[in-house]
């Protein structure tokens, strides 16, 4: 492929200046699309089909007005508002469209955000990190071509999703899911997707590691989610600081407001910042030149556990800070839940004193969500040993006197400790902020215990990863099923009243839902025992198999 | 003499690819053993079996009197390994990586670590990501050579090193040999092997096809002779062991099998030798013969195919 295309394309495009910096963009776009010819359609298919299938099930599941009102009432709780969003039609006047906007919108918005971040990082910083960008940029490829091409490709993916969704939803003709609303629904996805693409465009300029760049962008996504929740639960303006909030404030299918999408200018500004930053750095490096380090290793580093700790340090600290902030954010709105409960139609006819149990239910749901987020840390941590193996870095280490069991065991030990750290951070942050905002000191203990009760579920997640690593190493990515399934179950379970056994398949389904439920030790002991067996099995398998060498 | 590495009938398959096909390898304690062969011949695979990173399908491997799979940890305290393609941790400095690998092996000789860093001109305070290919290689070499181990297993250790560093490397290998250590050196740099190695094994398609000292190997192969005689020499064609005979204005040029050299020279003296040059095959010629055979044999097609398949998976 080829320089000649690049040259002729560049020549077609106007001024000499643009020709220089954007030369080769078209070629790169085609190249990136070709690389992602499976990846992008899969993302698009999953997101669009999920939306359309939920849309298709409204009439079947909630056929009568009574049923619709009933579910709207169930969903009109602080926990659901924090997790998903607001039903702008209100319980009495609820429609399928309003439920779509409350229950479905947020999840696919987050999905396009994740997709946009991953795709953008994959085509920019990850390419530089692998030294492939250098190879390509040695051809007739302008300074801004890479970033422009990557943004174009992400834009194509987002536009595709928005368009298919709008057309699909409009064409299905479900009552109140009308064409004007459907166009807005699709457009919301494009705006949110591009906003996070722009965020990632900035973070890839800052750090020289693709993992770090993606991590920072996901941090922004997490913050956006927390801000949206804080705004909605606290009934304040915080949600306007979040791209997710802009989309949800369109009040799609209820008021169909287009103007909140004008905030897309923020994304344009961010992209401009990204272009500017990219001119201030070299290919392959970050904004700051990498500093020299210590020429000798510290005593702490040169043991398998110290070494594993070092490899996991960044992830553990970064994630720990993120969940602590999330805990503070959620905790600080726990008190507002009381006020919210009084405002919500659903609770109007309830007796005084029910507010207390609403807060507890809210706290319990939030704890489950945060525990699931902590399980993402576990999954990421357990990809590390696999990454070490496939990159060839494990090979020299395993040729030393560090046994395989000690090597993998150290990664496992760090993840075990790390999962406790995550839940402790949640326990302290959410417990303290929650107890403070509600104004009940004794709530701290119950919230904190509730958070720590998830420790065995996280350990079980580690166990699954280790077992895969030992016996089916290529399948380690399947550990992702645990957090994804857990989120689907608690969220769609509320919407469609899943049978219990679906919930029981997830390790998180067995943890006592404190503070609503009482603490029960038995399920936790069982989860711990299963985790221990899986870990032992995985370590054994890893001793028996060939190392995957580069 | 004792044996450092003893391998018989080693077989290792990866799906369809038969990477090792009954390989035999014998390395005496204290010798520097060259391990040569074309790309994809199975050198790295052999080495990884010897390190217990891969498990052989059948055959026997003994390293320092232990089983590389079951006694891996005990053996790894007594050996050091340099891979051909060193990957470093992006956020660890070169010095940290040297110490890490050395300590995990059981300890480093601090004085020698300093000496090696100095001689190899490595900046140990740079982060792994910022090292060039050659410098990454140096990190692993320094860590291995700074360890007090009995056996060094080096898989193309100097790929990417500049010529100056190559000579430094050779100095240290000689020093290691003088200290009585055993070295298994896989390499494509023939000059390096020629200079350093006491013995050589040539591997092709997973089998060792020839093994011995360079002298022995030369003896087994043809010597090239150029001779000028007073009278035109005749009857050489009929002698056994003569190949590729060419005559050019009174000069003769031919190759002769090692064991027939004596008879041929006797015959030549009858015609009055005026000038005679003979040179034993260089290692390059030896190798090319083996590599070339491979291309002629039916193996080439099959081999290329299997390599192509493996290339996709990596
Ligand atoms: N993990 C693997 N999976 C599949 N095939 C493999 C694997 N490792 C090696 N092979 C195949 O085994 C054969 C031997 O490979 P090996 O790496 O041992 O060759 P080598 O002699 O070290 O070559 P080079 O000189 O290129 O380093 C090759 O055909 C290779 O493709
Ligand atoms: Mg090799």
């Amino acid at each position: 492929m080829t320089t000649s295309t690049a040259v002729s394309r560049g020549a077609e495009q106007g001024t000499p200046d643009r020709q220089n910096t954007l030369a080769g963009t078209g070629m790169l776009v085609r190249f990136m699309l070709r690389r992602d010819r499976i990846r992008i359609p899969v993302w698009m298919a999953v997101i669009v089909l999920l939306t359309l299938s939920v849309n298709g099930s409204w009439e079947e599941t909630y056929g009568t007005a009574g049923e619709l009102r009933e579910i709207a009432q169930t969903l009109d709780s602080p926990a659901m508002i924090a997790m998903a969003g607001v039903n702008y039609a209100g319980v009495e006047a609820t429609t399928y469209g309003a439920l779509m906007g409350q229950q479905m919108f947020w999840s696919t918005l987050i999905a396009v955000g994740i997709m946009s971040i991953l795709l953008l990082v994959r085509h920019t910083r990850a390419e530089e990190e692998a030294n492939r960008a250098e190879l390509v940029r040695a051809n007739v490829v302008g300074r801004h071509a890479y970033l422009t091409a990557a943004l174009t490709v992400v834009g194509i993916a987002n536009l595709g999703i928005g368009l298919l969704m709008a057309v699909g939803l409009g064409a299905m003709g479900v009552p109140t899911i009308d064409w004007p609303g459907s166009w807005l629904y699709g457009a919301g996805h494009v705006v949110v997707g591009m906003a996070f693409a722009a965020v990632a465009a900035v973070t890839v300029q800052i750090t020289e590691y693709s993992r770090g760049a993606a991590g920072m962008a996901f941090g922004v996504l997490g913050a956006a989610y927390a801000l949206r929740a804080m705004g909605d639960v606290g009934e304040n303006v915080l949600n306007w600081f979040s791209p997710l909030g802009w989309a949800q404030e369109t009040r799609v299918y209820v008021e169909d407001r287009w103007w909140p999408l004008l905030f897309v200018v923020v994304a344009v500004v961010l992209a401009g910042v990204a272009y500017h930053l990219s001119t201030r750095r070299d290919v392959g490096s970050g904004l700051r030149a990498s500093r020299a380090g210590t020429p000798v290793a510290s005593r702490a580093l040169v043991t398998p556990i110290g070494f594993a700790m070092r490899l996991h340090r960044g992830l553990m600290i970064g994630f720990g800070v993120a969940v602590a902030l999330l805990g503070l954010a959620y905790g600080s709105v726990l008190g507002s839940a009381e006020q919210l409960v009084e405002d919500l139609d659903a609770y109007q006819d309830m007796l005084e004193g029910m507010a207390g149990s609403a807060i507890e239910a809210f706290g319990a749901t939030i704890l489950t969500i945060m525990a699931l987020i902590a399980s993402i840390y576990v999954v990421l941590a357990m990809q590390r040993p696999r990454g070490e193996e496939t990159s060839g870095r494990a090979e020299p280490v395993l040729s030393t006197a560090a046994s395989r069991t000690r090597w993998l065991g150290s990664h496992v030990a760090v993840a075990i400790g790390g999962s406790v750290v995550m839940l402790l951070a949640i326990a302290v942050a959410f417990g303290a902020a929650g107890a403070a905002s509600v104004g009940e000191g004794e709530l701290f203990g119950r919230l904190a215990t509730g958070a720590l009760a998830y420790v065995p579920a996280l350990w079980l997640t580690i166990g699954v990863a280790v077992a895969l690593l030992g016996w089916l190493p290529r399948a380690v990515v399947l550990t992702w099923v645990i957090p994804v399934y857990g989120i689907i179950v608690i969220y769609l379970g509320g919407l469609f009243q899943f049978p219990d056994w679906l919930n029981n398949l997830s390790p998180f389904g067995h943890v006592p839902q404190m503070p609503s439920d009482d603490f029960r030790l038995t399920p936790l002991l069982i989860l711990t025992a299963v985790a221990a067996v899986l870990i032992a099995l995985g370590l054994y398998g890893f001793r028996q198999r060939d190392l995957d060498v580069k | 003499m004792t044996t450092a590495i003893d391998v018989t009938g080693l077989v290792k398959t990866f799906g369809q690819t038969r990477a090792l096909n009954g390989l035999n390898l014998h390395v005496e304690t204290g010798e520097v053993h060259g391990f040569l062969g074309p790309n994809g011949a199975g050198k790295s695979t052999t080495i990884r079996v010897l390190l217990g990173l891969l498990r052989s399908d059948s055959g026997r491997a003994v390293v320092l009197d232990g089983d590389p799979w079951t006694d891996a940890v005990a053996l790894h305290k007594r050996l050091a390994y340099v891979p051909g393609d060193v990957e470093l941790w992006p956020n660890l400095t070169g010095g940290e990586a040297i110490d890490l690998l050395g300590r995990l092996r059981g300890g480093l000789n601090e004085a020698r670590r300093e000496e090696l860093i100095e001689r190899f001109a490595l900046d140990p305070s740079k982060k792994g990501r910022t090292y060039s290919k050659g410098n990454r290689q140096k990190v692993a070499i320094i860590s291995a050579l700074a360890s007090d181990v009995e056996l060094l297993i080096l898989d193309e250790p100097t790929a990417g090193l500049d010529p100056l560093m190559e000579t430094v490397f050779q100095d240290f290998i000689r020093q290691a040999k003088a200290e009585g250590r055993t070295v298994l050196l896989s390499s494509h740099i023939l000059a390096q092997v020629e200079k350093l190695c006491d013995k050589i094994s040539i591997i092709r398609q997973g089998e060792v096809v020839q093994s011995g000292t360079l002298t022995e190997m030369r003896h087994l192969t043809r010597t090239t002779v150029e001779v000028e005689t007073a009278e035109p020499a005749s009857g050489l064609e009929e002698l056994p062991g003569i190949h590729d005979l060419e005559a050019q204005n009174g000069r003769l040029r031919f190759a002769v099998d090692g064991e027939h050299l004596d008879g041929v020279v006797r015959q030549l003296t009858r015609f009055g030798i005026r000038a005679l040059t003979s040179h034993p095959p260089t290692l390059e010629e030896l190798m090319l013969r083996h590599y070339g055979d491979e291309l002629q044999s039916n193996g080439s097609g099959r081999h290329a195919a299997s390599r192509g398949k493996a290339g996709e998976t990596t």
Side-chain angles (χ1 to χ4, degrees):
Chain A
M1 291 242 329
T2 97
T3 37
S4 68
T5 0
V7 171
S8 59
R9 291 217 127 222
E12 283 159 21
Q13 290 175 352
T15 68
D17 195 20
R18 276 182 64 202
Q19 192 188 107
N20 287 340
T21 58
L22 290 180
T25 304
M27 172 196 73
L28 281 174
V29 168
R30 283 197 301 275
F31 175 62
M32 289 173 186
L33 286 175
R34 194 186 137 65
R35 267 187 81 196
D36 284 349
R37 65 188 182 280
I38 309 233
R39 194 173 294 246
I40 290 180
V42 166
W43 272 108
M44 289 170 61
V46 169
I47 293 174
V48 173
L49 291 179
L50 188 69
T51 302
L52 297 186
S53 65
V54 166
N55 188 43
S57 63
W58 288 129
E59 288 181 281
E60 197 180 310
T61 325
Y62 306 113
T64 69
E67 282 168 341
L68 190 59
R69 239 201 80 198
E70 202 173 310
I71 184 66
Q73 206 154 61
T74 316
L75 297 176
D76 211 22
S77 69
M80 267 298 163
I81 289 172
M83 186 158 105
V86 176
N87 180 346
Y88 288 104
V91 170
E92 292 307 318
T94 200
T95 59
Y96 296 132
L99 280 189
M100 199 72 190
Q102 182 195 16
Q103 288 302 312
M104 208 45 218
F105 205 21
W106 70 282
S107 63
T108 44
L109 288 175
I110 290 178
V112 294
I114 293 173
M115 175 194 78
S116 302
I117 291 170
L118 289 177
L119 286 180
L120 198 108
V121 173
R122 171 179 155 81
H123 287 298
T124 52
R125 180 54 74 180
E127 284 293 284
E128 288 183 47
E129 202 173 32
N131 291 326
R132 280 190 294 266
E134 200 173 69
L135 214 64
V136 173
R137 282 183 63 161
N139 298 314
V140 184
V141 168
R143 187 146 35 91
H144 292 320
Y146 246 103
L147 187 53
T148 311
L151 283 169
T152 309
V153 166
V154 179
I156 291 173
N158 279 311
L159 272 175
I161 288 174
L163 214 66
L164 288 174
M165 242 181 207
V167 171
L169 289 172
M172 281 169 80
V174 175
T176 70
I177 313 271
D178 52 6
W179 279 103
S182 297
W183 289 118
L184 182 58
Y185 197 86
H189 284 89
V190 181
V191 167
V192 170
M194 290 320 286
F196 287 104
V199 168
V202 173
T203 63
V204 295
Q205 311 303 329
I206 297 173
T207 161
E208 58 197 296
Y209 305 116
S210 57
R211 229 159 40 188
M216 274 191 249
F218 283 129
V220 175
L221 179 61
Y225 181 59
L227 284 169
R228 201 278 309 148
M230 290 168 81
D232 282 351
V233 175
E235 300 176 288
N236 54 38
V237 297
L238 284 177
N239 58 332
W240 287 101
F241 291 92
S242 158
L244 301 170
W246 310 332
Q248 286 176 262
E249 279 288 355
T250 58
R251 309 192 169 181
V252 64
Y253 295 124
V254 178
E255 296 175 37
D256 283 345
R257 308 193 291 188
W258 279 86
W259 60 264
L261 295 188
L262 289 177
F263 276 100
V264 75
V265 294
V266 175
V268 176
V269 171
L270 278 178
V273 171
Y275 278 107
H276 175 70
L277 292 179
S278 77
T279 60
R280 301 185 41 173
R281 66 178 189 91
D282 298 328
V283 178
S285 57
L287 275 182
R288 272 184 311 171
S290 123
R291 276 166 308 172
T294 157
V296 290
S298 67
R299 298 194 64 82
L301 172 65
V302 296
T303 60
I305 188 86
F307 174 49
M309 193 57 221
R310 177 71 173 271
L311 294 181
H312 286 257
R313 193 171 63 184
L315 177 68
M316 201 190 286
I317 295 174
F319 219 97
V321 170
V323 292
L325 290 176
L326 195 65
L328 286 177
Y330 275 135
S332 66
V333 297
L334 195 59
S336 333
E338 205 161 11
Q339 176 61 40
L340 188 66
V341 166
E342 282 162 24
D343 294 352
L344 291 175
D345 303 350
Y347 293 82
Q348 297 275 284
D349 8 321
M350 292 189 183
L351 300 168
E352 279 291 297
M354 285 303 280
S357 69
I359 285 178
E360 289 186 346
F362 177 65
T365 309
I366 297 300
L367 278 178
T368 311
I369 294 171
M370 285 197 292
L372 282 163
I373 291 172
S375 77
I376 293 175
Y377 157 78
V378 170
V379 176
L380 287 173
M382 289 313 295
Q383 310 290 322
R384 286 284 150 98
R386 180 66 185 159
E388 288 287 293
E389 185 181 358
T390 52
S391 67
R393 291 191 293 259
E395 191 179 336
V397 176
L398 290 173
S399 306
T400 69
S403 71
R404 291 195 184 193
T405 306
R406 271 189 83 196
W407 179 80
L408 181 55
S410 302
H411 282 274
V412 173
V414 171
I416 285 179
S419 44
V420 176
V421 169
M422 294 308 137
L423 291 173
L424 264 178
I426 293 170
V428 172
F430 184 62
S437 76
V438 176
E440 270 180 53
E442 63 90 33
L443 196 57
F444 175 80
R446 282 192 294 149
L447 290 176
T449 321
L452 292 174
Y454 284 97
V455 164
L458 294 192
W459 287 352
L460 197 145
T461 311
I462 295 173
V464 170
V466 183
L468 287 172
L469 207 59
W471 297 98
L472 263 179
R474 279 161 197 268
V476 172
V477 288
L478 288 183
T479 321
W480 278 112
V481 168
I482 295 181
V484 170
Y485 182 79
I487 288 166
I488 289 177
V489 165
I490 64 159
Y491 153 64
L492 286 185
L495 199 55
F496 295 113
Q497 319 294 331
F498 281 174
D500 272 352
W501 64 268
L502 276 179
N503 193 32
N504 288 342
L505 275 183
S506 161
F508 294 84
H510 299 277
V511 177
Q513 304 273 304
M514 295 178 67
S516 321
D517 290 0
D518 288 331
F519 181 79
R520 277 172 298 133
L521 190 60
T522 323
L524 302 187
L525 290 179
I526 294 173
L527 286 175
T528 309
V530 175
V533 170
L534 285 173
I535 289 172
L537 212 66
L539 289 174
Y540 176 76
F542 186 62
R543 248 189 350 253
Q544 304 305 311
R545 71 169 170 89
D546 280 353
L547 192 72
D548 274 339
V549 286
K550 205 179 164 196
Chain B
M1 265 204 155
T2 50
T3 306
I5 296 176
D6 192 21
V7 173
T8 35
L10 205 61
V11 175
K12 176 72 195 172
T13 52
F14 297 106
Q16 299 286 341
T17 316
R18 206 171 168 83
L20 298 182
N21 186 17
L23 178 123
N24 300 315
L25 180 68
H26 194 80
V27 180
E28 299 290 340
T29 304
E31 84 184 11
V32 179
H33 195 104
F35 198 31
L36 301 173
N39 294 133
K43 301 179 294 295
S44 301
T45 305
T46 308
I47 285 175
R48 283 163 178 156
V49 171
L50 295 177
L51 291 166
L53 298 172
L54 299 177
R55 192 175 206 168
S56 60
D57 298 339
S58 63
R60 204 176 68 103
V62 178
V63 177
L64 303 173
D65 295 325
D67 178 311
W69 184 263
T70 52
D71 308 328
V73 172
L75 292 179
H76 290 174
K77 289 185 182 141
R78 299 164 62 195
L79 62 83
Y81 166 56
V82 177
D85 200 352
V86 177
E87 291 293 332
L88 295 178
W89 297 271
N91 52 352
L92 256 60
T93 63
E96 285 178 315
I98 291 172
D99 288 348
L100 172 73
L101 294 173
R103 291 276 161 66
L104 289 177
R105 209 174 275 137
L108 281 178
N109 180 329
E110 289 299 333
R112 196 157 52 222
R113 178 188 185 276
E114 292 319 306
E115 185 195 351
L116 282 156
I117 286 180
E118 160 112 33
R119 292 279 307 279
F120 276 110
L122 180 82
D123 176 356
S125 60
K126 284 172 99 177
K127 291 275 167 71
R129 214 185 110 57
T130 60
Y131 281 116
S132 64
K133 156 88 180 139
N135 281 326
R136 287 205 300 274
Q137 215 58 38
K138 284 183 199 168
V139 168
I141 294 174
I142 291 172
S143 173
L145 292 176
S147 301
D148 287 315
V149 290
E150 298 161 47
L151 173 63
L152 293 167
I153 297 184
L154 315 174
D155 190 359
E156 297 180 45
T158 61
L161 249 58
D162 67 46
L164 195 66
M165 292 303 138
E166 173 69 39
T167 56
V168 174
F169 171 76
Q170 292 181 6
D171 284 350
F172 278 107
I173 295 299
R174 279 193 206 97
Q175 191 183 323
K177 179 179 157 58
E179 290 163 3
R181 303 195 216 185
T182 312
V183 181
L184 178 64
L185 173 66
S186 143
S187 177
H188 289 300
I189 306 174
L190 300 174
Q192 180 188 66
V193 173
E194 217 160 3
K195 278 189 204 145
L196 292 176
C197 295
D198 307 310
K199 275 197 173 171
I200 294 169
S201 290
I202 298 177
I203 174 175
R204 216 184 67 195
Q205 294 183 22
E207 283 173 73
V208 166
V209 288
Q210 202 166 45
S211 187
T213 62
L214 197 51
T215 331
E216 282 166 1
M217 283 199 192
R218 281 178 173 151
H219 188 71
L220 289 176
T221 30
R222 296 162 197 170
T223 301
T224 310
V225 177
E226 272 186 49
V227 64
E228 208 180 312
T229 46
E231 303 163 33
S234 60
L236 283 179
E237 306 81 2
E238 280 110 61
L239 286 178
I242 291 260
H243 306 270
D244 310 328
L245 184 68
E246 290 170 42
Q248 263 179 356
N249 37 7
R251 287 173 141 264
L252 283 178
R253 196 189 146 89
F254 56 86
V256 54
D257 290 339
E259 70 261 40
H260 296 294
L261 185 61
D262 187 49
V264 171
V265 175
R266 270 170 215 275
Q267 173 81 359
L268 283 172
T269 49
R270 299 201 200 143
F271 306 104
I273 297 178
R274 282 223 188 112
L276 181 137
T277 55
S278 89
H279 61 86
T282 59
L283 182 58
E284 196 172 336
E285 282 165 332
L286 273 176
M287 294 303 300
L288 287 177
R289 231 189 60 154
H290 282 294
Y291 292 25
D293 279 358
E294 178 194 54
L295 293 176
Q296 283 152 27
S297 78
N298 61 354
S300 74
R302 198 188 71 214
H303 203 71
S306 66
R307 207 179 311 154
K309 215 178 281 158
E312 274 170 20
T313 60
T314 47

